[in-house]
């Protein structure tokens, strides 16, 4: 753990008497790969971490909020978009030699290292788990037209494609019949 990291907080000022609290606000550059394939926090963008540390019997309880901006690609229309991010977290950091440390695995409950705690794994987990697997530019996004690939939201409401029934394609080609005059039904006669 690097004590100079903006994610690392020193708890010596907090003390170990249960009930003592201290507020922190950190403006941090987002680390690399903070997100999923289609959405995430751009590396180097501003993340604001507001956290309250509270001394409890078994360790230090960190309660806070992470705010920033996420950038993504819509899962329906493939348009890029950005939106505000605000997620809350609560995490207990166990004291060395506490009952919590003895009864849990290190992966279950993070530990204080000396008098320091590292919020980066907590922030990373909180942000990534809050992101949608299929992000949308807006909830009612129409997606793409399956025939032409254009965004449905950009097309007129009466947008359609005339589809020639492939069973009639050879006849239409042979006799020069216009696409819109060929029926989709094989039982109708053509004149």
């Amino acid at each position: 753990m690097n004590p100079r990291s903006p994610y690392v907080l020193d708890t010596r000022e907090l003390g170990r008497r249960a009930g003592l609290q201290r507020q922190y606000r950190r403006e941090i550059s987002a680390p690399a790969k903070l997100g999923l394939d289609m959405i995430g926090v751009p590396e180097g963008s501003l993340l604001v971490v507001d956290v309250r540390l509270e001394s409890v019997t078994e360790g230090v309880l960190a309660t806070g909020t992470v705010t920033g901006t996420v950038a993504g690609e819509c899962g329906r229309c493939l348009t890029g978009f950005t939106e505000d991010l605000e997620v809350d977290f609560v995490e207990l950091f166990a004291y060395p030699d506490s009952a919590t440390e003895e009864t849990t695995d290190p992966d279950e409950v993070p530990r204080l290292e000396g008098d320091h705690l590292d919020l980066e794994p907590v922030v990373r987990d909180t942000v990534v788990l809050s992101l949608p697997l299929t992000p949308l530019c807006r909830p009612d996004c129409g997606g793409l037209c399956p025939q032409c690939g254009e965004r449905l939201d950009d097309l007129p409401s009466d947008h359609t494609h005339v589809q020639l029934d492939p069973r009639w394609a050879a006849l239409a080609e042979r006799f020069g019949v216009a696409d819109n005059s060929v029926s989709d039904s094989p039982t109708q006669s053509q004149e």
Side-chain angles (χ1 to χ4, degrees), residues 6-89:
Y7 291 97
V8 175
L9 301 175
D10 189 342
T11 63
R12 285 181 287 195
E13 296 174 5
L14 179 63
R16 289 203 174 186
R17 195 174 87 224
L20 296 176
Q21 297 180 12
R22 185 160 173 95
Q23 295 281 116
Y24 293 89
R25 180 181 179 93
R26 297 282 171 100
E27 295 183 358
I28 302 170
S29 292
K33 299 179 183 176
L34 185 57
L36 305 171
D37 290 339
M38 294 182 73
I39 189 168
V41 178
E43 182 178 358
S45 67
L46 180 68
L47 283 178
V48 178
V49 180
D50 287 307
V51 63
R52 182 186 74 223
L53 299 184
E54 182 178 357
S55 219
V56 294
T57 307
E58 292 296 312
V60 175
L61 184 66
T63 307
T65 303
V66 179
T67 55
T69 302
V70 295
E73 184 177 272
C74 181
R76 288 185 189 158
C77 69
L78 306 178
T79 301
F81 69 95
T82 60
E83 63 183 31
D84 292 335
L85 168 78
E86 183 173 334
V87 289
D88 299 324
F89 64 89

Coordinates of all heavy atoms in Angstrom, one line a residue, residues 6-89:
P6 N -3.8 8.9 -3.3 CA -5.0 9.6 -2.9 C -6.1 8.8 -2.4 O -7.0 9.2 -1.7 CB -5.4 10.4 -4.2 CG -4.8 9.7 -5.3 CD -3.6 9.0 -4.8
Y7 N -6.1 7.5 -2.6 CA -7.1 6.5 -2.1 C -6.8 6.1 -0.7 O -7.6 5.5 -0.1 CB -7.1 5.3 -3.0 CG -7.7 5.6 -4.4 CD1 -6.9 5.8 -5.5 CD2 -9.1 5.6 -4.6 CE1 -7.4 6.0 -6.8 CE2 -9.6 5.8 -5.9 CZ -8.7 6.0 -6.9 OH -9.3 6.3 -8.2
V8 N -5.6 6.3 -0.3 CA -5.1 5.8 1.1 C -5.4 6.9 2.1 O -5.0 8.0 1.9 CB -3.7 5.4 1.1 CG1 -3.2 5.0 2.5 CG2 -3.4 4.2 0.1
L9 N -6.1 6.5 3.2 CA -6.4 7.4 4.3 C -5.7 7.0 5.5 O -5.7 5.8 5.8 CB -7.9 7.5 4.5 CG -8.8 7.9 3.3 CD1 -10.2 7.8 3.6 CD2 -8.4 9.3 2.9
D10 N -5.2 7.9 6.3 CA -4.5 7.7 7.5 C -5.5 7.8 8.7 O -6.2 8.8 8.8 CB -3.4 8.7 7.7 CG -2.5 8.4 8.9 OD1 -2.9 7.6 9.8 OD2 -1.4 8.9 9.0
T11 N -5.7 6.7 9.5 CA -6.7 6.7 10.5 C -6.2 7.2 11.9 O -6.9 7.1 12.9 CB -7.3 5.3 10.6 OG1 -6.3 4.4 11.0 CG2 -8.0 4.9 9.3
R12 N -4.9 7.6 12.0 CA -4.4 8.0 13.3 C -5.2 9.1 13.9 O -5.4 9.2 15.1 CB -2.9 8.3 13.2 CG -2.0 7.1 13.0 CD -0.6 7.5 13.0 NE -0.4 8.1 11.6 CZ 0.8 8.3 11.1 NH1 1.9 8.0 11.7 NH2 0.9 8.8 9.9
E13 N -5.6 10.1 13.0 CA -6.3 11.3 13.5 C -7.7 10.8 14.0 O -8.3 11.5 14.8 CB -6.5 12.3 12.4 CG -5.2 12.9 12.0 CD -5.4 13.8 10.8 OE1 -6.5 14.1 10.4 OE2 -4.3 14.3 10.3
L14 N -8.2 9.7 13.6 CA -9.5 9.2 13.9 C -9.5 8.7 15.3 O -10.5 8.9 16.1 CB -10.0 8.2 12.9 CG -11.4 7.5 13.2 CD1 -12.5 8.6 13.1 CD2 -11.6 6.4 12.1
G15 N -8.5 7.9 15.7 CA -8.5 7.3 17.0 C -9.2 6.0 16.9 O -9.9 5.6 15.9
R16 N -9.2 5.2 18.0 CA -9.8 3.9 18.0 C -11.0 3.8 19.0 O -11.6 2.7 19.1 CB -8.8 2.8 18.4 CG -7.8 2.6 17.2 CD -7.1 1.3 17.3 NE -6.3 1.1 16.1 CZ -5.7 -0.1 15.9 NH1 -5.8 -1.1 16.7 NH2 -5.0 -0.2 14.8
R17 N -11.4 4.8 19.6 CA -12.5 4.8 20.5 C -13.8 4.7 19.6 O -14.0 5.6 18.8 CB -12.5 6.0 21.4 CG -13.5 5.8 22.6 CD -13.4 7.0 23.6 NE -14.4 8.0 23.1 CZ -14.1 9.3 23.0 NH1 -13.0 9.7 23.5 NH2 -15.0 10.1 22.6
A18 N -14.6 3.7 19.9 CA -15.8 3.5 19.1 C -16.7 4.8 19.1 O -16.9 5.4 20.1 CB -16.6 2.3 19.6
G19 N -17.2 5.2 17.9 CA -18.1 6.3 17.8 C -17.4 7.5 17.2 O -18.1 8.5 16.8
L20 N -16.1 7.6 17.2 CA -15.4 8.8 16.7 C -15.5 8.8 15.2 O -15.5 7.7 14.5 CB -13.9 8.7 17.1 CG -13.6 8.9 18.6 CD1 -12.1 8.7 18.9 CD2 -14.1 10.2 19.1
Q21 N -15.7 10.0 14.6 CA -15.9 10.1 13.2 C -15.0 11.2 12.6 O -14.6 12.1 13.3 CB -17.3 10.4 12.8 CG -18.3 9.4 13.2 CD -19.7 9.9 12.9 OE1 -19.9 10.8 12.1 NE2 -20.7 9.2 13.4
R22 N -14.7 11.0 11.3 CA -14.0 12.0 10.5 C -14.4 12.0 9.1 O -14.6 10.9 8.5 CB -12.5 11.8 10.7 CG -11.7 12.8 10.0 CD -10.3 12.8 10.6 NE -9.4 13.7 9.9 CZ -9.2 15.0 10.2 NH1 -9.7 15.4 11.4 NH2 -8.4 15.7 9.5
Q23 N -14.6 13.2 8.5 CA -15.0 13.3 7.1 C -13.8 13.6 6.2 O -12.9 14.3 6.6 CB -16.0 14.4 6.9 CG -17.3 14.2 7.6 CD -18.3 13.3 6.9 OE1 -18.6 12.3 7.4 NE2 -18.7 13.7 5.7
Y24 N -13.8 13.0 5.0 CA -12.8 13.2 4.0 C -13.5 13.5 2.7 O -14.5 12.9 2.4 CB -11.9 12.0 3.9 CG -11.0 11.8 5.1 CD1 -11.5 10.9 6.1 CD2 -9.8 12.3 5.2 CE1 -10.7 10.7 7.2 CE2 -9.0 12.1 6.3 CZ -9.5 11.2 7.3 OH -8.7 11.0 8.4
R25 N -12.8 14.3 1.9 CA -13.3 14.5 0.5 C -12.0 14.5 -0.4 O -11.1 15.3 -0.1 CB -14.0 15.9 0.3 CG -14.5 16.1 -1.1 CD -15.1 17.5 -1.2 NE -15.6 17.8 -2.5 CZ -16.8 17.5 -3.0 NH1 -17.7 16.9 -2.3 NH2 -17.1 17.8 -4.3
R26 N -12.0 13.6 -1.4 CA -10.9 13.5 -2.2 C -11.3 13.6 -3.7 O -12.3 13.0 -4.1 CB -10.2 12.1 -2.1 CG -9.6 11.8 -0.7 CD -8.3 12.6 -0.5 NE -7.8 12.6 0.8 CZ -6.8 11.8 1.2 NH1 -6.3 10.9 0.5 NH2 -6.4 11.8 2.5
E27 N -10.6 14.4 -4.4 CA -10.8 14.5 -5.9 C -9.6 13.7 -6.5 O -8.5 14.1 -6.3 CB -10.8 16.0 -6.3 CG -12.0 16.7 -5.8 CD -12.1 18.1 -6.2 OE1 -11.3 18.6 -7.0 OE2 -13.1 18.8 -5.8
I28 N -10.0 12.7 -7.2 CA -9.0 11.7 -7.6 C -9.1 11.5 -9.1 O -10.2 11.5 -9.7 CB -9.2 10.4 -6.9 CG1 -9.2 10.6 -5.4 CG2 -8.3 9.3 -7.3 CD1 -9.6 9.4 -4.6
S29 N -8.0 11.3 -9.8 CA -8.0 10.9 -11.2 C -8.4 9.4 -11.3 O -7.8 8.6 -10.5 CB -6.6 11.1 -11.8 OG -6.3 12.4 -11.9
A30 N -9.3 9.1 -12.2 CA -9.8 7.7 -12.3 C -8.7 6.8 -12.8 O -7.9 7.2 -13.7 CB -10.9 7.7 -13.3
P31 N -8.5 5.6 -12.2 CA -7.5 4.7 -12.6 C -7.9 4.1 -14.0 O -9.0 4.2 -14.4 CB -7.5 3.6 -11.5 CG -8.9 3.7 -10.9 CD -9.3 5.1 -11.1
A32 N -7.0 3.4 -14.6 CA -7.2 2.7 -15.8 C -8.2 1.5 -15.6 O -8.3 1.0 -14.6 CB -5.9 2.1 -16.4
K33 N -9.0 1.2 -16.7 CA -9.9 0.1 -16.7 C -10.9 0.1 -15.6 O -11.1 -0.9 -15.0 CB -9.1 -1.2 -16.7 CG -8.2 -1.3 -18.0 CD -7.4 -2.6 -18.0 CE -6.5 -2.6 -19.2 NZ -5.6 -3.8 -19.2
L34 N -11.5 1.2 -15.4 CA -12.5 1.3 -14.3 C -13.9 1.2 -15.1 O -14.5 2.2 -15.3 CB -12.4 2.7 -13.6 CG -13.4 2.9 -12.4 CD1 -13.2 1.7 -11.4 CD2 -13.1 4.2 -11.7
G35 N -14.3 0.0 -15.4 CA -15.5 -0.2 -16.1 C -15.6 -1.5 -16.8 O -14.8 -2.4 -16.5
L36 N -16.6 -1.6 -17.7 CA -16.8 -2.8 -18.5 C -16.5 -2.5 -20.0 O -16.0 -1.5 -20.3 CB -18.3 -3.2 -18.4 CG -18.8 -3.3 -16.9 CD1 -20.3 -3.5 -16.9 CD2 -18.2 -4.5 -16.3
D37 N -16.7 -3.5 -20.8 CA -16.4 -3.3 -22.2 C -17.1 -2.1 -22.9 O -16.5 -1.4 -23.7 CB -16.8 -4.6 -23.0 CG -15.9 -5.8 -22.7 OD1 -14.8 -5.5 -22.1 OD2 -16.3 -6.9 -22.9
M38 N -18.4 -1.9 -22.6 CA -19.1 -0.9 -23.3 C -19.4 0.4 -22.5 O -19.9 1.3 -23.1 CB -20.5 -1.5 -23.7 CG -20.4 -2.6 -24.8 SD -22.0 -3.2 -25.3 CE -22.6 -1.9 -26.3
I39 N -19.0 0.4 -21.3 CA -19.2 1.6 -20.4 C -18.2 1.6 -19.3 O -17.8 0.5 -18.8 CB -20.6 1.6 -19.9 CG1 -20.9 3.0 -19.2 CG2 -20.9 0.4 -18.9 CD1 -22.4 3.2 -18.9
G40 N -17.7 2.8 -19.0 CA -16.8 2.9 -17.9 C -16.4 4.4 -17.6 O -16.8 5.3 -18.3
V41 N -15.6 4.6 -16.6 CA -15.1 5.9 -16.3 C -13.8 6.1 -17.0 O -12.9 5.3 -16.9 CB -14.8 6.0 -14.7 CG1 -14.3 7.4 -14.4 CG2 -16.1 5.8 -13.9
P42 N -13.7 7.1 -17.9 CA -12.5 7.3 -18.7 C -11.3 7.5 -17.8 O -11.4 8.2 -16.7 CB -12.8 8.6 -19.5 CG -14.3 8.7 -19.5 CD -14.7 8.1 -18.2
E43 N -10.2 6.9 -18.1 CA -8.9 7.0 -17.3 C -8.5 8.5 -17.2 O -8.6 9.2 -18.2 CB -7.8 6.2 -18.0 CG -6.5 6.2 -17.2 CD -5.4 5.4 -17.9 OE1 -5.7 4.7 -18.9 OE2 -4.3 5.4 -17.3
G44 N -8.2 8.9 -16.0 CA -7.8 10.2 -15.8 C -8.9 11.2 -15.5 O -8.6 12.4 -15.1
S45 N -10.1 10.8 -15.7 CA -11.2 11.8 -15.5 C -11.4 11.9 -14.0 O -10.9 11.1 -13.2 CB -12.5 11.3 -16.1 OG -13.0 10.1 -15.5
L46 N -12.1 13.0 -13.6 CA -12.3 13.3 -12.1 C -13.3 12.4 -11.4 O -14.4 12.3 -11.9 CB -12.7 14.8 -12.0 CG -12.8 15.3 -10.6 CD1 -11.5 15.3 -9.8 CD2 -13.4 16.7 -10.6
L47 N -12.9 11.8 -10.3 CA -13.8 11.1 -9.4 C -13.7 11.9 -8.1 O -12.6 12.2 -7.6 CB -13.3 9.7 -9.2 CG -13.6 8.6 -10.2 CD1 -13.0 7.3 -9.8 CD2 -15.0 8.5 -10.5
V48 N -14.9 12.1 -7.5 CA -14.9 12.7 -6.2 C -15.4 11.7 -5.2 O -16.5 11.1 -5.4 CB -15.9 14.0 -6.2 CG1 -16.0 14.6 -4.8 CG2 -15.4 15.0 -7.2
V49 N -14.6 11.5 -4.2 CA -14.9 10.5 -3.2 C -15.2 11.3 -1.8 O -14.3 11.9 -1.3 CB -13.8 9.5 -3.0 CG1 -14.1 8.5 -1.9 CG2 -13.5 8.8 -4.3
D50 N -16.4 11.2 -1.4 CA -16.8 11.8 -0.1 C -17.0 10.6 0.9 O -17.8 9.7 0.6 CB -18.1 12.6 -0.2 CG -17.9 13.9 -0.9 OD1 -17.0 14.7 -0.5 OD2 -18.7 14.2 -1.8
V51 N -16.2 10.6 1.9 CA -16.3 9.4 2.8 C -16.2 9.9 4.3 O -15.6 10.8 4.7 CB -15.1 8.4 2.5 CG1 -13.7 9.1 2.8 CG2 -15.2 7.1 3.3
R52 N -17.0 9.1 5.1 CA -17.0 9.3 6.5 C -16.4 8.1 7.1 O -16.9 7.0 6.9 CB -18.4 9.5 7.1 CG -18.4 9.8 8.6 CD -19.8 9.8 9.2 NE -20.4 8.5 9.2 CZ -21.6 8.1 8.9 NH1 -22.4 9.0 8.4 NH2 -22.0 6.9 8.9
L53 N -15.3 8.2 7.9 CA -14.7 7.1 8.6 C -15.2 7.2 10.1 O -15.2 8.2 10.7 CB -13.2 7.2 8.6 CG -12.5 7.2 7.3 CD1 -11.0 7.3 7.4 CD2 -12.9 6.0 6.4
E54 N -15.6 6.0 10.5 CA -16.2 5.9 11.9 C -15.5 4.8 12.6 O -15.4 3.6 12.1 CB -17.7 5.7 11.8 CG -18.3 5.6 13.2 CD -19.8 5.4 13.1 OE1 -20.4 5.4 12.0 OE2 -20.4 5.3 14.2
S55 N -15.0 5.1 13.8 CA -14.3 4.0 14.6 C -15.4 3.1 15.2 O -16.3 3.6 15.8 CB -13.5 4.7 15.7 OG -12.3 4.1 15.9
V56 N -15.3 1.8 15.0 CA -16.2 0.9 15.6 C -15.4 -0.2 16.3 O -14.1 -0.2 16.2 CB -17.1 0.2 14.5 CG1 -18.1 1.3 13.9 CG2 -16.3 -0.5 13.4
T57 N -16.0 -1.1 17.0 CA -15.3 -2.0 17.8 C -14.3 -2.9 17.1 O -13.2 -3.1 17.5 CB -16.3 -3.0 18.5 OG1 -17.3 -2.2 19.2 CG2 -15.6 -3.9 19.5
E58 N -14.7 -3.3 15.9 CA -13.9 -4.3 15.1 C -12.9 -3.6 14.1 O -12.1 -4.3 13.5 CB -14.7 -5.3 14.4 CG -15.4 -6.2 15.4 CD -14.4 -7.1 16.1 OE1 -13.5 -7.7 15.5 OE2 -14.6 -7.2 17.4
G59 N -13.1 -2.3 13.9 CA -12.3 -1.6 12.9 C -12.8 -0.2 12.6 O -13.3 0.5 13.4
V60 N -12.6 0.1 11.3 CA -13.1 1.5 10.8 C -14.1 1.2 9.7 O -13.9 0.5 8.8 CB -11.9 2.3 10.2 CG1 -12.3 3.6 9.6 CG2 -10.8 2.5 11.3
L61 N -15.3 1.8 9.9 CA -16.4 1.7 9.0 C -16.3 2.9 8.0 O -16.3 4.1 8.5 CB -17.7 1.7 9.7 CG -18.9 1.5 8.8 CD1 -18.9 0.1 8.2 CD2 -20.2 1.8 9.6
A62 N -16.1 2.7 6.8 CA -16.1 3.7 5.7 C -17.4 3.8 5.0 O -17.9 2.8 4.4 CB -15.0 3.4 4.7
T63 N -18.1 4.9 5.1 CA -19.4 5.1 4.4 C -19.2 6.3 3.5 O -18.8 7.4 4.0 CB -20.5 5.4 5.4 OG1 -20.5 4.4 6.4 CG2 -21.8 5.5 4.8
G64 N -19.5 6.2 2.2 CA -19.3 7.3 1.3 C -20.0 7.2 0.0 O -20.8 6.3 -0.2
T65 N -19.7 8.2 -0.8 CA -20.3 8.3 -2.2 C -19.1 8.6 -3.2 O -18.2 9.4 -2.9 CB -21.3 9.5 -2.2 OG1 -22.2 9.3 -1.2 CG2 -21.9 9.6 -3.5
V66 N -19.3 8.0 -4.3 CA -18.3 8.3 -5.4 C -19.2 8.9 -6.5 O -20.2 8.4 -6.9 CB -17.7 7.0 -6.0 CG1 -16.8 7.3 -7.1 CG2 -17.0 6.2 -4.9
T67 N -18.7 10.1 -7.0 CA -19.4 10.8 -8.1 C -18.3 11.0 -9.2 O -17.2 11.2 -9.0 CB -20.0 12.1 -7.7 OG1 -19.0 12.9 -7.1 CG2 -21.1 11.9 -6.7
G68 N -18.8 11.0 -10.4 CA -18.0 11.2 -11.6 C -18.8 11.2 -12.9 O -20.1 11.3 -12.8
T69 N -18.2 10.9 -14.0 CA -18.9 10.8 -15.3 C -18.4 9.5 -15.9 O -17.3 9.1 -15.9 CB -18.5 11.9 -16.2 OG1 -18.8 13.1 -15.5 CG2 -19.2 11.9 -17.5
V70 N -19.4 8.7 -16.5 CA -19.1 7.5 -17.3 C -19.3 7.8 -18.7 O -20.2 8.6 -19.1 CB -19.9 6.3 -16.8 CG1 -19.6 5.9 -15.4 CG2 -21.4 6.5 -16.9
A71 N -18.6 7.1 -19.6 CA -18.7 7.2 -21.0 C -19.0 5.8 -21.5 O -18.4 4.9 -21.0 CB -17.5 7.8 -21.7
G72 N -19.9 5.7 -22.5 CA -20.2 4.4 -22.9 C -20.7 4.4 -24.4 O -20.8 5.4 -25.0
E73 N -21.1 3.2 -24.8 CA -21.7 3.0 -26.1 C -23.0 2.3 -25.9 O -23.0 1.3 -25.3 CB -20.7 2.2 -27.0 CG -21.2 2.0 -28.4 CD -20.1 1.2 -29.2 OE1 -19.2 1.8 -29.8 OE2 -20.3 0.0 -29.3
C74 N -24.0 2.9 -26.5 CA -25.4 2.3 -26.4 C -25.4 0.9 -26.9 O -24.9 0.6 -28.0 CB -26.4 3.2 -27.1 SG -28.1 2.6 -26.9
G75 N -26.0 -0.1 -26.2 CA -26.1 -1.4 -26.6 C -27.2 -1.7 -27.7 O -27.2 -2.8 -28.2
R76 N -28.0 -0.7 -28.0 CA -29.0 -0.8 -29.0 C -28.6 -0.1 -30.3 O -28.8 -0.6 -31.4 CB -30.4 -0.3 -28.5 CG -31.0 -1.2 -27.5 CD -32.4 -0.6 -27.1 NE -32.9 -1.3 -26.0 CZ -33.9 -0.9 -25.2 NH1 -34.4 0.3 -25.4 NH2 -34.3 -1.6 -24.2
C77 N -28.2 1.2 -30.2 CA -27.9 2.0 -31.4 C -26.5 2.3 -31.6 O -26.1 2.9 -32.6 CB -28.7 3.3 -31.3 SG -28.1 4.4 -30.1
L78 N -25.6 1.8 -30.7 CA -24.1 2.0 -30.8 C -23.7 3.4 -30.8 O -22.5 3.7 -31.2 CB -23.6 1.3 -32.1 CG -24.0 -0.2 -32.2 CD1 -23.5 -0.8 -33.5 CD2 -23.6 -1.0 -31.0
T79 N -24.5 4.3 -30.3 CA -24.1 5.7 -30.2 C -23.3 5.9 -28.9 O -23.7 5.4 -27.9 CB -25.4 6.6 -30.2 OG1 -26.1 6.4 -31.4 CG2 -25.0 8.1 -30.1
G80 N -22.3 6.7 -29.0 CA -21.6 7.1 -27.7 C -22.4 8.0 -26.9 O -23.1 8.9 -27.4
F81 N -22.2 7.9 -25.6 CA -22.9 8.8 -24.7 C -22.1 9.0 -23.4 O -21.2 8.2 -23.1 CB -24.3 8.3 -24.4 CG -24.4 7.1 -23.5 CD1 -24.5 7.1 -22.2 CD2 -24.3 5.8 -24.2 CE1 -24.6 6.0 -21.4 CE2 -24.3 4.7 -23.4 CZ -24.5 4.7 -22.0
T82 N -22.4 10.0 -22.6 CA -21.9 10.2 -21.3 C -23.1 10.4 -20.3 O -24.1 10.9 -20.7 CB -20.9 11.4 -21.2 OG1 -21.6 12.6 -21.5 CG2 -19.7 11.2 -22.1
E83 N -22.8 10.1 -19.1 CA -23.9 10.3 -18.0 C -23.2 10.4 -16.7 O -22.1 10.0 -16.5 CB -25.0 9.3 -18.0 CG -24.6 7.9 -17.7 CD -25.7 6.9 -17.8 OE1 -26.6 7.1 -18.6 OE2 -25.7 5.9 -17.0
D84 N -23.9 11.1 -15.8 CA -23.3 11.3 -14.4 C -23.4 9.9 -13.6 O -24.3 9.1 -13.8 CB -24.1 12.3 -13.7 CG -23.9 13.7 -14.3 OD1 -22.8 13.9 -14.9 OD2 -24.7 14.6 -14.1
L85 N -22.4 9.8 -12.8 CA -22.3 8.6 -11.9 C -22.4 9.0 -10.5 O -21.7 10.0 -10.1 CB -21.0 7.9 -12.2 CG -20.6 6.8 -11.2 CD1 -21.4 5.5 -11.5 CD2 -19.1 6.5 -11.3
E86 N -23.2 8.4 -9.7 CA -23.2 8.6 -8.2 C -23.6 7.3 -7.6 O -24.7 6.8 -7.8 CB -24.2 9.7 -7.8 CG -24.2 10.0 -6.3 CD -25.0 11.1 -5.9 OE1 -25.3 12.0 -6.7 OE2 -25.4 11.1 -4.7
V87 N -22.6 6.7 -6.8 CA -22.8 5.4 -6.2 C -22.4 5.5 -4.7 O -21.4 6.3 -4.4 CB -22.1 4.3 -6.9 CG1 -22.8 4.0 -8.2 CG2 -20.7 4.6 -7.1
D88 N -23.1 4.8 -3.9 CA -22.7 4.8 -2.4 C -22.0 3.5 -2.1 O -22.2 2.5 -2.7 CB -24.0 4.9 -1.6 CG -24.8 6.2 -1.9 OD1 -24.1 7.2 -2.1 OD2 -26.0 6.1 -1.8
F89 N -21.2 3.6 -1.0 CA -20.5 2.4 -0.5 C -20.5 2.4 1.0 O -20.5 3.4 1.6 CB -19.1 2.2 -1.1 CG -18.2 3.3 -0.7 CD1 -17.4 3.2 0.4 CD2 -18.0 4.5 -1.5 CE1 -16.5 4.2 0.8 CE2 -17.1 5.5 -1.2 CZ -16.4 5.3 0.0

